[in-house]
């Protein structure tokens, strides 16, 4: 995040500090305004009938319901989604927002509700057990064109990197033996493996784990406590795991 934008977000947060706690506001309104992109399957996207669906959508409905509220969805471009939260256009964002120090200066976050990291994808009959990118020197590895994963591969001398416009072509070439491995986000990998019939499997995690949380305006301790309790209860009773299994076929709600 560039400094001028961060300064604006911090200023907006400071102005909000004296307002009523968000929990009181949403309870009085009866709805929880939730922002998301709406174009990011399997996390949040629109089905053919125009209805929102995805992992984040199910989490949002769970959270709102446990708070005694109805979810009110707002779709917006990723580039402006944090600025919209800072200007109070919605109450929370549930759209795979990574928790990092810069964002935590401007917003409060819930406890993480999903975790991801870079992950290798290999053929089912692959005998090598690669556990780092350095071990792939001399190998052909595919990744999305212009993605952070392509950049990570190119940063390792000796890897022959092949960029792809989309995951299906990448995985097809992997299955056909045109490349030796592919690199992608572990969440996307879980979804792809759940939905494909190709003879491929998940390999090792080869990077830092990223935590995704629900950001909201600072100065709302009651809302933060209530939100975190909802997520803790959903983790304890298996509700979060059930949503994860539905979309990914594995539990991505716990730190690896």
């Amino acid at each position: 995040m560039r400094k001028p934008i961060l300064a604006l977000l911090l200023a907006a947060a400071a102005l909000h500090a004296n307002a009523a706690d968000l929990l009181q506001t949403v309870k009085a309104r009866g709805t929880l305004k939730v922002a998301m992109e709406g174009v990011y399957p399997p996390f949040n996207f629109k089905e053919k009938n125009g209805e929102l669906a995805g992992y984040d959508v199910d989490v949002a409905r769970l959270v709102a319901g446990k708070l005694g509220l109805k979810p009110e969805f707002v779709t917006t471009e990723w580039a402006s989604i944090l600025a919209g939260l800072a200007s109070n256009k919605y109450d929370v964002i549930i759209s795979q927002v990574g928790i990092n120090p810069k964002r935590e200066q401007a917003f409060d976050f819930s406890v993480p509700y999903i975790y991801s990291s870079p992950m290798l994808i290999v053929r089912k009959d692959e005998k090598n057990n690669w556990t780092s990118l350095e071990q792939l020197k001399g190998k052909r590895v595919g990744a999305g064109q212009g993605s952070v994963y392509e950049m990570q591969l190119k940063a390792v001398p000796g890897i022959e990197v092949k960029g792809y416009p989309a995951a299906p072509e990448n995985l097809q070439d992997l299955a056909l033996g045109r490349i030796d491995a592919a690199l992608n986000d572990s969440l996307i990998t879980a979804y792809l493996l759940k939905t494909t019939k190709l003879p491929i499997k998940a390999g090792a995690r080869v990077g830092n784990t990223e935590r995704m949380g629900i950001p909201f305006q600072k100065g709302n301790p009651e809302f933060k406590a209530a939100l975190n309790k909802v997520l803790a209860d959903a983790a304890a009773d298996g509700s979060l795991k059930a949503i994860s299994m539905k979309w990914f076929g594995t539990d991505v709600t716990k730190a690896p």
Side-chain angles (χ1 to χ4, degrees), residues 82-207:
L82 289 172
L85 181 61
S87 60
N88 214 31
K89 290 182 179 179
Y90 24 81
D91 305 314
V92 297
I93 302 171
I94 304 182
S95 191
Q96 299 302 300
V97 182
I99 302 171
N100 62 47
K102 283 188 176 180
R103 288 173 180 163
E104 286 180 306
Q105 289 183 53
F107 305 105
D108 269 346
F109 276 83
S110 70
V111 294
Y113 70 100
I114 192 169
Y115 297 81
S116 75
S117 58
M119 176 176 276
L120 291 172
I121 311 171
V122 297
R123 286 183 293 278
K124 280 191 175 178
D125 61 358
E126 180 59 64
K127 298 297 190 293
N128 290 298
N129 183 30
W130 298 305
T131 57
S132 71
L133 295 183
E134 285 70 23
Q135 293 175 340
L136 289 164
K137 291 180 180 179
K139 302 297 182 181
R140 298 162 299 170
V141 186
Q145 289 177 348
S147 69
V148 294
Y149 308 108
E150 185 182 46
M151 291 186 282
Q152 287 173 4
L153 290 168
K154 288 182 176 179
V156 181
I159 295 179
E160 183 182 336
V161 183
K162 185 171 182 182
Y164 292 85
E169 294 92 333
N170 190 351
L171 300 183
Q172 185 71 37
D173 272 8
L174 173 61
L176 294 173
R178 293 170 180 163
I179 56 176
D180 301 296
L183 183 67
N184 208 326
D185 173 80
S186 60
L187 301 174
I188 296 295
T189 296
Y191 176 69
L192 292 172
L193 294 178
K194 181 177 182 292
T195 55
T196 188
K197 294 182 179 179
L198 294 174
I200 56 178
K201 63 182 180 180
R205 294 176 184 264
V206 290

Side-chain angles (χ1 to χ4, degrees), residues 36 42-44 52-65 71 73 94 113 239-240 242-244 246-247:
M36 55 182 54
F43 305 104
N44 52 84
L52 281 167
Y55 176 83
D56 289 331
V57 178
D58 285 352
V59 170
R61 289 181 173 135
L62 171 69
V63 168
F73 293 108
I94 304 182
Y113 70 100
S239 300
L240 270 183
I243 296 173
S244 176
K246 171 185 173 181
W247 290 102

Side-chain angles (χ1 to χ4, degrees), residues 21-23 32 59-60 62-64 66-67 91-94 108-111 113 213-216 220-234 240:
D21 192 280
L22 181 58
L23 185 62
L32 183 69
V59 170
L62 171 69
V63 168
K66 293 292 186 181
L67 290 173
D91 305 314
V92 297
I93 302 171
I94 304 182
D108 269 346
F109 276 83
S110 70
V111 294
Y113 70 100
I214 302 173
F216 51 92
N220 294 289
E222 294 176 23
F223 180 81
K224 183 173 185 176
L227 177 59
N228 283 340
K229 185 179 186 306
V230 165
L231 292 173
D233 290 347
L240 270 183

